[in-house]
Amino acid sequence: MQVYLVGGAVRDHLLGYPYHEKDYVVVGATPDQLLALGYQPVGKDFPVFLHPESKDEYALARTERKSGQGYHGFEFHTDPNVTLEEDLIRRDLTINAIAMDHNGNIYDPYSGQQDLKNKVLRHVSNAFIEDPLRVLRIARFAARYKAIGFTVAPETLILMQQLTESGELNALTPERVWKETSRALMEKHADEYFEVLRTCGALKVLFPEIDALYGIPQRPEYHPEIDCGIHTMMSVQQACAANYSLEVRFAVLLHDLGKALTPKSELPRHIMHEERGIQLVINVCDRLKVPTNTKQLALSVCKEHLKCHQALQLKPGTLWRLLQRLDVLRRPERVEAFIQACECDARGRLGLENRDYPQAKFMLDAMKIVRQIKAQDLPIEIRGPEIGELLIKKRIDALTQFKKQTEIEPNCSNS
């Protein structure tokens, strides 16, 4: 029985890139042998075991054969006679088909180290085309390693295009698409994930609402980058650079979907694009089974981002109602996330990436002011419905006073 560290841990070890998970492949063993050593079985499709102490995953060396459609359409064969080379050839990329034994010896039958050196994401074999999930994985790796210069090999992009055109992407479950997309959004260059998907045609299949933004013009005085798709990716990159949460990054991704529905006669203006985008955001979230909190923030940003840009000019009552819709009293963290997303929108514009956004501090200060006014501070004789009415009045009065003390000129467009 021989044990090898494989996959991402070896790849990132050789790159000097941080990693946390370790996966192992076991050659020359049977399930009974691992069970006798105390390993715990967890695999459903093929034998995978957890180490009795470290809980790392150990999979028996295996081969696979395409037997159906989609990610699960495979038959797996494990046997003590399956070699390390046979196991590694079924993997997606050459840089993921490298193994290392316990002495640190490297086994690289498919030139993965050369592709690491050349910074190329290249498929191991033509069996790549059998698994539609690999389109998303390669796009995610492109996002992860963009900062150090990695690109997708042209011949691999061709296979990704063929996979897209085959209709296999439709067999991916919403859960798998969301898992890969959410992981990609948390990379430093999440925009590259969507750019690679667009290059191979997968964006139009999996995210048609985002793909539709490309080629839609905006007013150049507010959006020097002009193209709505480019603006969306620039805004996403702002969220990545600021290391914002997944919820913020996803909300930024969807904030302008309504611009794809603007009548051509109104272009390059986008009147009412917030309202037009609401159903599109719902469609994306429901299709991917996005978590509720993530969906709610995305909807709030889609509906209200122009109000945030206009915050310095809003009347106190309008400002209060905006904060109220954002659930300021129960969910201050959502208000903060909303502001972060709106700031990314404001800065996701060509040449304006470092612009000031005083609306952020203004909104945060306004949030603190209204949250400081509580029912227990009201006169004791106030009862029933009068409590709510007086609280609203006091909060609006406090915002009125706050606005009088705030003399900041706005610098953000209403688009």
Short mmCIF file of all heavy atoms in Angstrom, two decimals, residues 188-245:
data_model
loop_
_atom_site.label_atom_id
_atom_site.label_comp_id
_atom_site.label_asym_id
_atom_site.label_seq_id
_atom_site.Cartn_x
_atom_site.Cartn_y
_atom_site.Cartn_z
N LYS A 188 -9.44 36.79 -4.95
CA LYS A 188 -9.01 38.18 -5.06
C LYS A 188 -9.40 38.80 -6.40
O LYS A 188 -9.50 40.04 -6.52
CB LYS A 188 -7.49 38.27 -4.85
CG LYS A 188 -7.04 37.95 -3.44
CD LYS A 188 -5.54 38.08 -3.30
CE LYS A 188 -5.09 37.77 -1.88
NZ LYS A 188 -3.61 37.87 -1.73
N HIS A 189 -9.58 37.97 -7.41
CA HIS A 189 -9.96 38.48 -8.73
C HIS A 189 -11.18 37.71 -9.23
O HIS A 189 -11.13 37.05 -10.27
CB HIS A 189 -8.78 38.35 -9.70
CG HIS A 189 -7.65 39.27 -9.40
ND1 HIS A 189 -7.61 40.57 -9.85
CD2 HIS A 189 -6.53 39.10 -8.65
CE1 HIS A 189 -6.50 41.15 -9.41
NE2 HIS A 189 -5.83 40.28 -8.69
N ALA A 190 -12.26 37.84 -8.50
CA ALA A 190 -13.49 37.12 -8.85
C ALA A 190 -14.00 37.49 -10.24
O ALA A 190 -14.64 36.68 -10.91
CB ALA A 190 -14.57 37.40 -7.81
N ASP A 191 -13.69 38.70 -10.69
CA ASP A 191 -14.15 39.12 -12.02
C ASP A 191 -13.63 38.18 -13.12
O ASP A 191 -14.30 37.97 -14.13
CB ASP A 191 -13.73 40.56 -12.31
CG ASP A 191 -12.22 40.76 -12.19
OD1 ASP A 191 -11.64 40.37 -11.17
OD2 ASP A 191 -11.62 41.31 -13.14
N GLU A 192 -12.44 37.61 -12.90
CA GLU A 192 -11.85 36.72 -13.91
C GLU A 192 -12.68 35.46 -14.10
O GLU A 192 -12.73 34.90 -15.20
CB GLU A 192 -10.41 36.37 -13.52
CG GLU A 192 -9.65 35.56 -14.56
CD GLU A 192 -9.33 36.35 -15.82
OE1 GLU A 192 -9.58 37.58 -15.85
OE2 GLU A 192 -8.81 35.73 -16.78
N TYR A 193 -13.33 35.00 -13.05
CA TYR A 193 -14.21 33.83 -13.14
C TYR A 193 -15.29 34.07 -14.20
O TYR A 193 -15.51 33.23 -15.07
CB TYR A 193 -14.83 33.59 -11.78
CG TYR A 193 -15.91 32.53 -11.70
CD1 TYR A 193 -15.58 31.18 -11.67
CD2 TYR A 193 -17.25 32.89 -11.58
CE1 TYR A 193 -16.57 30.20 -11.56
CE2 TYR A 193 -18.24 31.92 -11.46
CZ TYR A 193 -17.89 30.58 -11.44
OH TYR A 193 -18.88 29.62 -11.33
N PHE A 194 -15.92 35.22 -14.13
CA PHE A 194 -17.01 35.52 -15.06
C PHE A 194 -16.48 35.84 -16.46
O PHE A 194 -17.13 35.53 -17.46
CB PHE A 194 -17.85 36.66 -14.51
CG PHE A 194 -18.47 36.34 -13.18
CD1 PHE A 194 -17.89 36.77 -12.00
CD2 PHE A 194 -19.62 35.57 -13.11
CE1 PHE A 194 -18.44 36.45 -10.77
CE2 PHE A 194 -20.19 35.24 -11.89
CZ PHE A 194 -19.60 35.68 -10.72
N GLU A 195 -15.30 36.42 -16.53
CA GLU A 195 -14.71 36.70 -17.83
C GLU A 195 -14.35 35.41 -18.57
O GLU A 195 -14.57 35.29 -19.79
CB GLU A 195 -13.46 37.59 -17.68
CG GLU A 195 -13.73 38.98 -17.14
CD GLU A 195 -14.49 39.87 -18.13
OE1 GLU A 195 -14.80 39.42 -19.24
OE2 GLU A 195 -14.79 41.02 -17.76
N VAL A 196 -13.81 34.43 -17.85
CA VAL A 196 -13.47 33.16 -18.48
C VAL A 196 -14.75 32.44 -18.91
O VAL A 196 -14.82 31.87 -20.01
CB VAL A 196 -12.64 32.28 -17.53
CG1 VAL A 196 -12.48 30.86 -18.08
CG2 VAL A 196 -11.25 32.89 -17.32
N LEU A 197 -15.77 32.45 -18.07
CA LEU A 197 -17.04 31.84 -18.44
C LEU A 197 -17.62 32.52 -19.68
O LEU A 197 -18.18 31.85 -20.56
CB LEU A 197 -18.05 31.94 -17.28
CG LEU A 197 -17.76 31.10 -16.04
CD1 LEU A 197 -18.86 31.29 -15.01
CD2 LEU A 197 -17.61 29.62 -16.39
N ARG A 198 -17.46 33.82 -19.78
CA ARG A 198 -17.97 34.53 -20.95
C ARG A 198 -17.18 34.14 -22.20
O ARG A 198 -17.75 33.96 -23.29
CB ARG A 198 -17.89 36.04 -20.72
CG ARG A 198 -18.44 36.86 -21.87
CD ARG A 198 -18.63 38.32 -21.47
NE ARG A 198 -19.11 39.09 -22.61
CZ ARG A 198 -18.36 39.93 -23.32
NH1 ARG A 198 -17.09 40.13 -22.99
NH2 ARG A 198 -18.86 40.57 -24.35
N THR A 199 -15.87 33.98 -22.04
CA THR A 199 -15.02 33.64 -23.19
C THR A 199 -15.42 32.29 -23.80
O THR A 199 -15.38 32.13 -25.02
CB THR A 199 -13.55 33.60 -22.75
OG1 THR A 199 -13.17 34.89 -22.26
CG2 THR A 199 -12.64 33.23 -23.92
N CYS A 200 -15.79 31.33 -22.97
CA CYS A 200 -16.13 30.01 -23.49
C CYS A 200 -17.63 29.84 -23.73
O CYS A 200 -18.09 28.75 -24.09
CB CYS A 200 -15.62 28.90 -22.56
SG CYS A 200 -16.50 28.76 -21.00
N GLY A 201 -18.41 30.91 -23.51
CA GLY A 201 -19.84 30.86 -23.78
C GLY A 201 -20.69 30.39 -22.62
O GLY A 201 -21.92 30.38 -22.71
N ALA A 202 -20.05 30.00 -21.51
CA ALA A 202 -20.80 29.45 -20.37
C ALA A 202 -21.57 30.52 -19.60
O ALA A 202 -22.57 30.20 -18.94
CB ALA A 202 -19.85 28.71 -19.44
N LEU A 203 -21.12 31.76 -19.65
CA LEU A 203 -21.82 32.82 -18.92
C LEU A 203 -23.24 32.98 -19.45
O LEU A 203 -24.19 33.16 -18.67
CB LEU A 203 -21.06 34.15 -19.03
CG LEU A 203 -21.55 35.27 -18.12
CD1 LEU A 203 -21.26 34.92 -16.66
CD2 LEU A 203 -20.87 36.60 -18.47
N LYS A 204 -23.40 32.89 -20.75
CA LYS A 204 -24.72 33.03 -21.37
C LYS A 204 -25.65 31.89 -20.98
O LYS A 204 -26.87 32.07 -20.88
CB LYS A 204 -24.58 33.10 -22.89
CG LYS A 204 -25.87 33.47 -23.61
CD LYS A 204 -25.61 33.71 -25.08
CE LYS A 204 -26.88 34.20 -25.78
NZ LYS A 204 -26.62 34.48 -27.22
N VAL A 205 -25.08 30.72 -20.72
CA VAL A 205 -25.88 29.56 -20.33
C VAL A 205 -26.24 29.60 -18.85
O VAL A 205 -27.41 29.38 -18.48
CB VAL A 205 -25.12 28.25 -20.64
CG1 VAL A 205 -25.90 27.04 -20.14
CG2 VAL A 205 -24.85 28.14 -22.13
N LEU A 206 -25.26 29.88 -17.99
CA LEU A 206 -25.46 29.80 -16.55
C LEU A 206 -25.91 31.11 -15.92
O LEU A 206 -26.63 31.10 -14.93
CB LEU A 206 -24.16 29.32 -15.89
CG LEU A 206 -23.66 27.95 -16.31
CD1 LEU A 206 -22.29 27.67 -15.73
CD2 LEU A 206 -24.65 26.86 -15.88
N PHE A 207 -25.45 32.24 -16.48
CA PHE A 207 -25.80 33.55 -15.95
C PHE A 207 -26.22 34.48 -17.09
O PHE A 207 -25.57 35.49 -17.37
CB PHE A 207 -24.60 34.16 -15.21
CG PHE A 207 -24.09 33.34 -14.07
CD1 PHE A 207 -23.04 32.46 -14.25
CD2 PHE A 207 -24.67 33.42 -12.81
CE1 PHE A 207 -22.55 31.69 -13.21
CE2 PHE A 207 -24.20 32.66 -11.76
CZ PHE A 207 -23.14 31.79 -11.95
N PRO A 208 -27.32 34.16 -17.77
CA PRO A 208 -27.73 34.97 -18.92
C PRO A 208 -28.02 36.42 -18.55
O PRO A 208 -27.84 37.32 -19.37
CB PRO A 208 -28.99 34.26 -19.43
CG PRO A 208 -29.48 33.46 -18.26
CD PRO A 208 -28.24 33.04 -17.53
N GLU A 209 -28.44 36.65 -17.31
CA GLU A 209 -28.75 38.01 -16.88
C GLU A 209 -27.49 38.88 -16.81
O GLU A 209 -27.55 40.09 -17.07
CB GLU A 209 -29.43 37.99 -15.50
CG GLU A 209 -30.74 37.22 -15.45
CD GLU A 209 -30.57 35.72 -15.19
OE1 GLU A 209 -29.41 35.24 -15.18
OE2 GLU A 209 -31.58 35.03 -14.99
N ILE A 210 -26.37 38.27 -16.46
CA ILE A 210 -25.10 39.01 -16.42
C ILE A 210 -24.54 39.15 -17.82
O ILE A 210 -24.07 40.23 -18.22
CB ILE A 210 -24.09 38.29 -15.49
CG1 ILE A 210 -24.63 38.24 -14.06
CG2 ILE A 210 -22.74 39.00 -15.52
CD1 ILE A 210 -23.81 37.38 -13.14
N ASP A 211 -24.59 38.08 -18.59
CA ASP A 211 -24.09 38.12 -19.97
C ASP A 211 -24.80 39.20 -20.78
O ASP A 211 -24.18 39.85 -21.64
CB ASP A 211 -24.30 36.75 -20.62
CG ASP A 211 -23.68 36.66 -22.00
OD1 ASP A 211 -22.44 36.56 -22.08
OD2 ASP A 211 -24.44 36.71 -22.99
N ALA A 212 -26.08 39.42 -20.51
CA ALA A 212 -26.87 40.40 -21.27
C ALA A 212 -26.41 41.84 -21.04
O ALA A 212 -26.74 42.74 -21.83
CB ALA A 212 -28.34 40.27 -20.90
N LEU A 213 -25.63 42.09 -19.98
CA LEU A 213 -25.17 43.45 -19.69
C LEU A 213 -24.08 43.91 -20.66
O LEU A 213 -23.91 45.12 -20.88
CB LEU A 213 -24.64 43.53 -18.26
CG LEU A 213 -25.68 43.40 -17.14
CD1 LEU A 213 -25.00 43.28 -15.78
CD2 LEU A 213 -26.62 44.61 -17.14
N TYR A 214 -23.34 42.96 -21.22
CA TYR A 214 -22.23 43.33 -22.11
C TYR A 214 -22.79 43.91 -23.41
O TYR A 214 -23.72 43.39 -24.00
CB TYR A 214 -21.34 42.12 -22.39
CG TYR A 214 -20.47 41.75 -21.23
CD1 TYR A 214 -20.91 40.86 -20.25
CD2 TYR A 214 -19.20 42.31 -21.08
CE1 TYR A 214 -20.12 40.53 -19.16
CE2 TYR A 214 -18.40 41.98 -20.00
CZ TYR A 214 -18.86 41.09 -19.05
OH TYR A 214 -18.06 40.78 -17.97
N GLY A 215 -22.20 45.02 -23.80
CA GLY A 215 -22.64 45.71 -25.01
C GLY A 215 -23.71 46.75 -24.76
O GLY A 215 -24.09 47.48 -25.69
N ILE A 216 -24.21 46.85 -23.52
CA ILE A 216 -25.21 47.87 -23.18
C ILE A 216 -24.49 49.14 -22.76
O ILE A 216 -23.73 49.13 -21.78
CB ILE A 216 -26.13 47.39 -22.04
CG1 ILE A 216 -26.81 46.07 -22.42
CG2 ILE A 216 -27.16 48.46 -21.70
CD1 ILE A 216 -27.74 46.17 -23.61
N PRO A 217 -24.70 50.27 -23.44
CA PRO A 217 -23.97 51.51 -23.13
C PRO A 217 -24.58 52.28 -21.96
O PRO A 217 -25.77 52.14 -21.66
CB PRO A 217 -24.08 52.30 -24.42
CG PRO A 217 -25.41 51.89 -24.98
CD PRO A 217 -25.55 50.43 -24.63
N GLN A 218 -23.73 53.07 -21.31
CA GLN A 218 -24.15 53.99 -20.26
C GLN A 218 -23.62 55.38 -20.58
O GLN A 218 -22.75 55.53 -21.45
CB GLN A 218 -23.60 53.53 -18.90
CG GLN A 218 -24.03 52.14 -18.51
CD GLN A 218 -23.31 51.63 -17.27
OE1 GLN A 218 -23.81 51.67 -16.18
NE2 GLN A 218 -22.08 51.16 -17.47
N ARG A 219 -24.13 56.37 -19.88
CA ARG A 219 -23.71 57.75 -20.14
C ARG A 219 -22.23 57.92 -19.76
O ARG A 219 -21.85 57.68 -18.61
CB ARG A 219 -24.58 58.72 -19.36
CG ARG A 219 -26.04 58.72 -19.80
CD ARG A 219 -26.92 59.54 -18.90
NE ARG A 219 -26.58 60.95 -18.96
CZ ARG A 219 -27.20 61.90 -18.24
NH1 ARG A 219 -28.17 61.54 -17.39
NH2 ARG A 219 -26.85 63.15 -18.34
N PRO A 220 -21.39 58.32 -20.70
CA PRO A 220 -19.94 58.36 -20.45
C PRO A 220 -19.53 59.36 -19.38
O PRO A 220 -18.48 59.19 -18.75
CB PRO A 220 -19.36 58.73 -21.82
CG PRO A 220 -20.48 59.36 -22.56
CD PRO A 220 -21.72 58.68 -22.08
N GLU A 221 -20.34 60.41 -19.16
CA GLU A 221 -19.96 61.38 -18.12
C GLU A 221 -20.05 60.77 -16.72
O GLU A 221 -19.40 61.24 -15.78
CB GLU A 221 -20.84 62.64 -18.19
CG GLU A 221 -22.33 62.42 -17.94
CD GLU A 221 -23.11 62.17 -19.21
OE1 GLU A 221 -22.56 61.51 -20.13
OE2 GLU A 221 -24.28 62.61 -19.28
N TYR A 222 -20.87 59.73 -16.56
CA TYR A 222 -20.97 59.03 -15.28
C TYR A 222 -20.22 57.70 -15.30
O TYR A 222 -19.74 57.24 -14.26
CB TYR A 222 -22.44 58.76 -14.93
CG TYR A 222 -23.26 60.00 -14.74
CD1 TYR A 222 -24.52 60.13 -15.33
CD2 TYR A 222 -22.79 61.07 -13.99
CE1 TYR A 222 -25.29 61.27 -15.17
CE2 TYR A 222 -23.54 62.22 -13.82
CZ TYR A 222 -24.79 62.32 -14.41
OH TYR A 222 -25.54 63.46 -14.25
N HIS A 223 -20.14 57.11 -16.48
CA HIS A 223 -19.49 55.81 -16.63
C HIS A 223 -18.50 55.87 -17.79
O HIS A 223 -18.83 55.47 -18.91
CB HIS A 223 -20.54 54.72 -16.89
CG HIS A 223 -21.34 54.34 -15.70
ND1 HIS A 223 -20.91 53.40 -14.78
CD2 HIS A 223 -22.55 54.78 -15.25
CE1 HIS A 223 -21.83 53.27 -13.83
NE2 HIS A 223 -22.83 54.10 -14.09
N PRO A 224 -17.28 56.33 -17.52
CA PRO A 224 -16.28 56.41 -18.60
C PRO A 224 -16.00 55.06 -19.25
O PRO A 224 -15.57 55.02 -20.41
CB PRO A 224 -15.05 56.95 -17.87
CG PRO A 224 -15.58 57.70 -16.70
CD PRO A 224 -16.78 56.92 -16.26
N GLU A 225 -16.24 53.97 -18.53
CA GLU A 225 -16.03 52.64 -19.11
C GLU A 225 -17.16 52.27 -20.07
O GLU A 225 -17.05 51.32 -20.85
CB GLU A 225 -15.92 51.58 -18.00
CG GLU A 225 -17.20 51.23 -17.29
CD GLU A 225 -17.72 52.28 -16.33
OE1 GLU A 225 -16.96 53.23 -16.02
OE2 GLU A 225 -18.87 52.15 -15.88
N ILE A 226 -18.28 52.98 -20.00
CA ILE A 226 -19.45 52.89 -20.89
C ILE A 226 -20.20 51.55 -20.78
O ILE A 226 -21.39 51.53 -20.49
CB ILE A 226 -19.07 53.18 -22.37
CG1 ILE A 226 -18.49 54.60 -22.48
CG2 ILE A 226 -20.29 53.02 -23.28
CD1 ILE A 226 -18.06 54.99 -23.87
N ASP A 227 -19.55 50.45 -21.04
CA ASP A 227 -20.22 49.15 -21.11
C ASP A 227 -20.70 48.67 -19.73
O ASP A 227 -19.93 48.66 -18.77
CB ASP A 227 -19.24 48.13 -21.70
CG ASP A 227 -19.90 46.81 -22.02
OD1 ASP A 227 -20.15 46.03 -21.09
OD2 ASP A 227 -20.16 46.56 -23.22
N CYS A 228 -21.97 48.27 -19.65
CA CYS A 228 -22.54 47.83 -18.38
C CYS A 228 -21.86 46.57 -17.83
O CYS A 228 -21.70 46.42 -16.62
CB CYS A 228 -24.04 47.55 -18.54
SG CYS A 228 -25.06 49.03 -18.76
N GLY A 229 -21.49 45.66 -18.72
CA GLY A 229 -20.81 44.45 -18.27
C GLY A 229 -19.45 44.76 -17.67
O GLY A 229 -19.08 44.21 -16.62
N ILE A 230 -18.72 45.64 -18.32
CA ILE A 230 -17.41 46.04 -17.80
C ILE A 230 -17.56 46.73 -16.45
O ILE A 230 -16.80 46.48 -15.51
CB ILE A 230 -16.69 46.96 -18.81
CG1 ILE A 230 -16.35 46.17 -20.08
CG2 ILE A 230 -15.43 47.57 -18.20
CD1 ILE A 230 -15.77 47.01 -21.20
N HIS A 231 -18.57 47.61 -16.34
CA HIS A 231 -18.81 48.29 -15.06
C HIS A 231 -19.11 47.28 -13.95
O HIS A 231 -18.60 47.40 -12.83
CB HIS A 231 -19.98 49.26 -15.20
CG HIS A 231 -20.57 49.69 -13.88
ND1 HIS A 231 -19.85 50.39 -12.94
CD2 HIS A 231 -21.81 49.49 -13.35
CE1 HIS A 231 -20.62 50.62 -11.88
NE2 HIS A 231 -21.81 50.08 -12.11
N THR A 232 -19.91 46.27 -14.26
CA THR A 232 -20.24 45.26 -13.25
C THR A 232 -18.98 44.55 -12.77
O THR A 232 -18.78 44.37 -11.56
CB THR A 232 -21.24 44.25 -13.82
OG1 THR A 232 -22.48 44.91 -14.09
CG2 THR A 232 -21.48 43.11 -12.84
N MET A 233 -18.11 44.15 -13.67
CA MET A 233 -16.89 43.46 -13.28
C MET A 233 -15.94 44.39 -12.52
O MET A 233 -15.27 43.96 -11.57
CB MET A 233 -16.19 42.89 -14.52
CG MET A 233 -16.95 41.75 -15.18
SD MET A 233 -17.24 40.35 -14.06
CE MET A 233 -19.05 40.41 -13.92
N MET A 234 -15.88 45.66 -12.90
CA MET A 234 -15.05 46.62 -12.17
C MET A 234 -15.58 46.81 -10.75
O MET A 234 -14.80 46.94 -9.79
CB MET A 234 -15.01 47.95 -12.91
CG MET A 234 -14.28 47.92 -14.24
SD MET A 234 -14.22 49.55 -15.05
CE MET A 234 -13.08 50.41 -13.95
N SER A 235 -16.89 46.79 -10.60
CA SER A 235 -17.49 46.93 -9.27
C SER A 235 -17.21 45.70 -8.42
O SER A 235 -16.91 45.81 -7.23
CB SER A 235 -19.00 47.15 -9.40
OG SER A 235 -19.28 48.33 -10.13
N VAL A 236 -17.32 44.52 -9.03
CA VAL A 236 -16.99 43.28 -8.31
C VAL A 236 -15.54 43.31 -7.85
O VAL A 236 -15.23 42.91 -6.71
CB VAL A 236 -17.25 42.05 -9.21
CG1 VAL A 236 -16.64 40.79 -8.60
CG2 VAL A 236 -18.74 41.86 -9.43
N GLN A 237 -14.65 43.80 -8.70
CA GLN A 237 -13.24 43.85 -8.33
C GLN A 237 -13.01 44.82 -7.17
O GLN A 237 -12.13 44.60 -6.33
CB GLN A 237 -12.37 44.23 -9.53
CG GLN A 237 -10.89 44.09 -9.28
CD GLN A 237 -10.50 42.75 -8.66
OE1 GLN A 237 -11.08 41.71 -8.96
NE2 GLN A 237 -9.53 42.77 -7.76
N GLN A 238 -13.80 45.89 -7.10
CA GLN A 238 -13.72 46.80 -5.95
C GLN A 238 -14.07 46.06 -4.66
O GLN A 238 -13.42 46.23 -3.63
CB GLN A 238 -14.66 47.98 -6.16
CG GLN A 238 -14.18 49.01 -7.16
CD GLN A 238 -13.02 49.83 -6.65
OE1 GLN A 238 -12.96 50.19 -5.47
NE2 GLN A 238 -12.07 50.13 -7.53
N ALA A 239 -15.10 45.22 -4.72
CA ALA A 239 -15.51 44.45 -3.54
C ALA A 239 -14.44 43.45 -3.13
O ALA A 239 -14.21 43.22 -1.94
CB ALA A 239 -16.84 43.74 -3.81
N CYS A 240 -13.78 42.86 -4.13
CA CYS A 240 -12.69 41.92 -3.83
C CYS A 240 -11.51 42.65 -3.20
O CYS A 240 -10.92 42.16 -2.22
CB CYS A 240 -12.25 41.21 -5.10
SG CYS A 240 -13.50 40.16 -5.86
N ALA A 241 -11.15 43.79 -3.77
CA ALA A 241 -9.99 44.54 -3.26
C ALA A 241 -10.21 44.98 -1.82
O ALA A 241 -9.26 45.06 -1.03
CB ALA A 241 -9.73 45.75 -4.16
N ALA A 242 -11.47 45.26 -1.47
CA ALA A 242 -11.79 45.68 -0.10
C ALA A 242 -12.00 44.49 0.83
O ALA A 242 -12.23 44.67 2.02
CB ALA A 242 -13.04 46.56 -0.11
N ASN A 243 -11.93 43.27 0.27
CA ASN A 243 -12.12 42.04 1.03
C ASN A 243 -13.48 41.99 1.72
O ASN A 243 -13.60 41.57 2.88
CB ASN A 243 -11.01 41.86 2.08
CG ASN A 243 -10.90 40.41 2.55
OD1 ASN A 243 -11.24 39.49 1.83
ND2 ASN A 243 -10.43 40.23 3.77
N TYR A 244 -14.51 42.42 1.00
CA TYR A 244 -15.85 42.38 1.55
C TYR A 244 -16.40 40.97 1.54
O TYR A 244 -15.87 40.05 0.90
CB TYR A 244 -16.77 43.32 0.75
CG TYR A 244 -16.51 44.78 1.01
CD1 TYR A 244 -16.70 45.74 0.01
CD2 TYR A 244 -16.10 45.24 2.27
CE1 TYR A 244 -16.47 47.09 0.24
CE2 TYR A 244 -15.86 46.57 2.51
CZ TYR A 244 -16.05 47.50 1.49
OH TYR A 244 -15.83 48.84 1.73
N SER A 245 -17.51 40.78 2.23
CA SER A 245 -18.11 39.46 2.41
C SER A 245 -18.68 38.92 1.10
O SER A 245 -18.88 39.65 0.12
CB SER A 245 -19.24 39.55 3.44
OG SER A 245 -20.32 40.33 2.92
#
